Amino acid sequence: MDNVTIGLALVAGLLSFISPCVLPLVPAYIGYMGGRLTHQVSRQQAAGAPPAISATMRLQMLMHGAAFVSGFTFVFVLIGLLTTALSSVAGQYVGAFTEILGRVGGIVIIFFGLQFMGLMPRLFRWLRSKDRAPILDSRLFSLCAAIAASALIYWALLGELVLTLPVIAALLLGMYMGGAFAQPARFWLALMDRLQGALYSDTRADIGGGREGLLGSAFMGMVFSAGWTPCIGPLLGTILTVAATAGATSGDITQGMLLLGAYSIGLGIPFLITAMLMDGARGLLRRLQRHMRLIELFSGCLMILIGLLVASGRLQSLSQTFSRGEFADFTFRVEECGLGIFEGDLHLQHLGDCLAGVLLPVAINQSASLHFTSEAQMRQLLFHAEAGEQIDVEARGLAGGELELAIALSAPDDTVLARANTADSRQVDDKLYPMLALELAQDGLYRLSLRAEGLTGDARIRVKVREALPIQAASNPPAQTNNLISDLSALVSEIGAIGLEEGKRAPAFSTTTLDGQQLSLADLRGKVTLLNFWGTWCGPCRREMPEFQRAYDEWTGRGFEILAIAYNDSEAAMSEFRDEFELSFPMALDETGAINDLYAIQTRPSSYLLGKDGVILARHFGVLTQAQLDDLLAAALADG
């Protein structure tokens, strides 16, 4: 999917809303917006505002939703650009930036929760009472408050002294200049007056429909986006790669910004609709006026819980949990099926089978990994072909079983054009060709049906155009491929520079493989190396790993190596994964995440292709298809 348009990115974002990894964001968003709505209704009642629900109030709720989406979009686009197009400048610091934003934002969300519960005004009144005057007027109280605030700053800024010391120094200087140690009571009473004034201003905005509270909603969007791990479907992976390629080659990141912005807006549309629907609860809350205090307490507690999840990083962990296994596979199918219908490559009648995983839309020459079980013996591939094309069907991984195949033109009559069985196939190396030189008479969608006989496990099927030469027979590498440096000679002048852009030397590291072997990046010099960042919990990784093994078997004799680096994983899970897919290339566990941080990895799978001299030839985010990998290797190993 190389030609990504603004419309496609918008649709992909819209489809991503129903993906499992977005689920943790939805209750967090509803909790914040619901807490704000409850707080607003409660303050309106306290101020004696009329109960009517005006168009202004509806608009205000929509504006808060839009502010949330704007904050979300800003950080999502910023992180996407930093980790791809601008990775050599700031990519290594993205992880620290998002963690700091999450910790600081979590603290602010907890404060909002206390405010929504009505506890902050009560705390201020308690401190202002005459019995508490000696406490506020104590220098020891100011000193304890300064120590507590410094400790909180130290934790929020990850203990980085370069960041922590200036902030703590500014805090102490402000307290000193404000009289916290000379006239403590005056300082703390003035501080409480300013805080109450700010909260009162926000309350008046809630009642009158002002815009003062919109910055808070925008900040909440920024915080939630920093605590979220997106599901990397085929289109988002392509968008990130487009941003990386454009930034590395031309320095123009405009296209990447527009595509990421369109994706974020598409993802934000359902959040805006949710805000409009929640506004309908205003009348219900007024009818529950007798229980408003209980509702305030509940919404405030929910906000505090969300703040704790964000500050501790658990919201991101929940997002990663929903990015695993079947959840991730479903996410991948949602995007593939939705975009297939949007582009006309999939009919609406196929949507149910597509979402269920029975039918998979593929491109010509794209390999598909199909999983068969004793209960699921039927799979279908849907592809678009042009009139006059001759196609071959290639099958691999059929040990212990057979496949019956049938190709039909995907039309109302579903006329079968050809049938075959892998038992009668022509074999070349470990590949079976049950169909050869099948000529297609007209343009349109074709469906390849596959029924397993005695086969359980994964099989790999590829429908390819017969005119396409095998990669070994290509006399010259492609003149230009996606994500590939077209003129390698231009790299010579920068060969000593270390960075994450194409043309820079990859940062050095050492690790221990799953087999206990000590391995450094320097040990791989002299080989074209694919660094793949993955996880056993990553659904899209399951799709590309079989292709990596195929490429490893095919190209390793010409100087190709793969190092797959897992994170947030265990050696036991990795060993089980390796055995399941019969992988033989080196794999390593990045226990501390240091290598992932070194390469600014925020999404998985992500891949770096290094030349024999250790220079980065290409970067790719999302699933790396067989055709893309073969093109990259053909160019990189052309001199071998």
Side-chain angles (χ1 to χ4, degrees):
M1 196 175 293
D2 298 329
N3 299 318
V4 184
T5 64
I6 297 294
L8 273 179
L10 187 71
V11 171
L14 186 63
L15 292 171
S16 294
F17 181 79
I18 61 177
S19 65
C21 74
V22 178
L23 286 178
L25 275 183
V26 177
Y29 172 76
I30 292 177
Y32 168 71
M33 296 298 287
R36 174 168 286 280
L37 178 63
T38 301
H39 178 67
Q40 183 186 63
V41 172
S42 177
R43 299 289 79 79
Q44 287 173 339
Q45 289 180 346
I53 302 175
S54 64
T56 302
M57 293 178 181
R58 291 193 178 96
L59 179 61
Q60 183 187 8
M61 196 67 177
L62 180 62
M63 289 174 63
H64 277 288
F68 181 94
V69 172
S70 298
F72 176 94
T73 300
F74 172 76
V75 173
F76 183 73
V77 173
L78 178 64
I79 290 176
L81 293 176
L82 288 178
T83 55
T84 53
L86 305 176
S87 59
S88 64
V89 179
Q92 300 94 322
Y93 306 106
V94 170
F97 166 73
T98 56
E99 190 172 354
I100 290 173
L101 182 58
R103 292 189 178 191
V104 173
I107 294 171
V108 175
I109 294 173
I110 292 172
F111 179 82
F112 275 16
L114 295 173
Q115 167 65 12
F116 289 171
M117 294 172 72
L119 295 183
M120 295 306 298
R122 295 189 180 197
L123 176 62
F124 291 157
R125 286 195 299 270
W126 183 80
L127 289 174
R128 285 178 178 276
S129 64
K130 293 183 179 180
D131 295 338
R132 308 293 179 269
I135 297 177
L136 290 182
D137 202 29
S138 170
R139 291 182 176 88
L140 180 61
F141 177 80
S142 295
L143 180 61
C144 292
I147 293 174
S150 298
L152 191 61
I153 291 171
Y154 181 83
W155 172 80
L157 298 182
L158 310 181
E160 295 289 342
L161 294 181
V162 175
L163 300 175
T164 303
L165 291 179
V167 176
I168 292 179
L171 169 70
L172 296 177
L173 180 62
M175 292 181 66
Y176 176 79
M177 297 295 293
F181 302 102
Q183 298 177 307
R186 180 179 177 183
F187 172 83
W188 292 110
L189 289 173
L191 179 61
M192 284 189 286
D193 286 340
R194 286 195 292 270
L195 288 175
Q196 283 184 309
L199 294 175
Y200 177 70
S201 174
D202 190 64
T203 298
R204 291 185 62 187
D206 285 339
I207 296 174
R211 302 182 181 182
E212 290 84 346
L214 294 180
L215 288 178
S217 296
F219 181 74
M220 289 301 100
M222 295 171 63
V223 169
F224 288 145
S225 68
W228 171 62
T229 301
C231 296
I232 303 300
L235 193 74
L236 181 54
T238 302
I239 291 173
L240 293 173
T241 304
V242 166
T245 305
T249 55
S250 66
D252 184 7
I253 61 174
T254 304
Q255 183 182 13
M257 289 181 63
L258 290 176
L259 292 175
L260 285 170
Y263 181 92
S264 299
I265 292 172
L267 181 60
I269 290 174
F271 285 103
L272 295 180
I273 295 174
T274 302
M276 294 292 292
L277 294 175
M278 288 182 64
D279 189 72
R282 194 187 301 271
L284 176 62
L285 290 174
R286 289 184 178 277
R287 288 193 293 272
L288 295 175
Q289 182 176 357
R290 293 182 305 170
H291 308 288
M292 186 57 68
R293 181 57 189 157
L294 183 62
I295 296 173
E296 281 186 318
L297 290 173
F298 175 79
S299 62
C301 287
L302 181 59
M303 283 292 294
I304 292 174
L305 175 62
I306 293 171
L308 291 173
L309 289 174
V310 172
S312 64
R314 296 303 301 170
L315 183 67
Q316 187 172 27
S317 297
L318 284 174
S319 181
Q320 289 181 348
T321 299
F322 284 105
S323 300
R324 302 182 180 187
E326 289 299 321
F327 289 118
D329 287 339
F330 177 74
T331 296
F332 211 80
R333 291 197 298 269
V334 165
E335 185 172 321
E336 285 183 321
C337 302
L339 291 175
I341 290 177
F342 180 78
E343 294 186 290
D345 292 336
L346 189 70
H347 294 157
L348 192 60
Q349 68 203 55
H350 301 128
L351 181 59
D353 287 340
C354 185
L355 292 176
V358 176
L359 183 147
L360 181 67
V362 297
I364 290 285
N365 298 325
Q366 176 188 354
S367 179
S369 181
L370 305 178
H371 187 69
F372 294 94
T373 66
S374 57
E375 293 80 19
Q377 295 282 286
M378 187 71 181
R379 290 290 184 267
Q380 296 178 332
L381 299 180
L382 198 68
F383 62 95
H384 187 277
E386 298 180 0
E389 285 185 333
Q390 288 188 338
I391 63 167
D392 297 339
V393 177
E394 173 188 295
R396 296 172 55 129
L398 303 182
E402 299 177 0
L403 284 177
E404 290 184 354
L405 302 91
I407 283 187
L409 181 64
S410 184
D413 56 357
D414 287 335
T415 304
V416 175
L417 305 178
R419 297 183 185 274
N421 191 300
T422 53
D424 305 320
S425 301
R426 176 183 174 183
Q427 183 167 351
V428 179
D429 297 327
D430 61 342
K431 305 172 187 176
L432 296 176
Y433 291 91
M435 291 184 178
L436 286 171
L438 176 63
E439 185 168 346
L440 304 179
Q442 64 185 79
D443 295 345
L445 287 173
Y446 289 83
R447 187 173 68 254
L448 173 61
S449 301
L450 306 109
R451 183 183 299 277
E453 294 183 354
L455 174 66
T456 58
D458 292 312
R460 294 187 290 281
I461 308 296
R462 181 164 65 145
V463 179
K464 60 181 184 179
V465 178
R466 188 166 182 78
E467 286 76 10
L469 295 175
I471 195 70
Q472 298 93 329
S475 57
N476 294 299
Q480 184 175 359
T481 60
N482 189 31
N483 312 323
L484 188 62
I485 296 294
S486 58
D487 185 8
L488 295 179
S489 63
L491 304 179
V492 176
S493 61
E494 300 183 38
I495 198 153
I498 297 176
L500 297 178
E501 292 181 343
E502 295 174 350
K504 299 293 182 65
R505 189 181 299 279
F509 65 87
S510 61
T511 186
T512 303
T513 68
L514 204 55
D515 297 324
Q517 176 189 0
Q518 290 293 323
L519 185 66
S520 69
L521 196 60
D523 296 332
L524 300 176
R525 290 288 175 85
K527 296 182 178 181
V528 172
T529 302
L530 179 69
L531 292 181
N532 178 249
F533 295 88
W534 69 293
T536 61
W537 44 266
C538 166
C541 299
R542 298 178 64 89
R543 291 177 175 246
E544 66 178 4
M545 280 295 185
E547 300 307 330
F548 289 172
Q549 182 61 47
R550 176 205 58 80
Y552 187 70
D553 293 338
E554 184 173 332
W555 294 90
T556 187
R558 296 178 58 184
F560 175 54
E561 187 60 88
I562 297 176
L563 177 57
I565 303 173
Y567 175 62
N568 194 19
D569 232 312
S570 68
E571 291 187 353
M574 291 171 63
S575 296
E576 183 178 345
F577 187 97
R578 180 178 62 180
D579 294 342
E580 177 185 353
F581 288 94
E582 299 179 350
L583 306 177
S584 59
F585 47 80
M587 310 180 86
L589 175 61
D590 183 15
E591 296 186 28
T592 64
I595 303 176
N596 279 256
D597 291 342
L598 188 64
Y599 281 79
I601 301 299
Q602 294 293 311
T603 60
R604 293 166 189 83
S606 292
S607 299
Y608 283 78
L609 185 68
L610 313 182
K612 295 180 180 180
D613 52 6
V615 170
I616 297 173
L617 300 181
R619 295 181 294 165
H620 189 89
F621 305 95
V623 172
L624 188 58
T625 67
Q626 176 179 343
Q628 291 169 328
L629 182 57
D630 281 343
D631 285 347
L632 290 170
L633 293 179
L637 294 168
D639 58 352

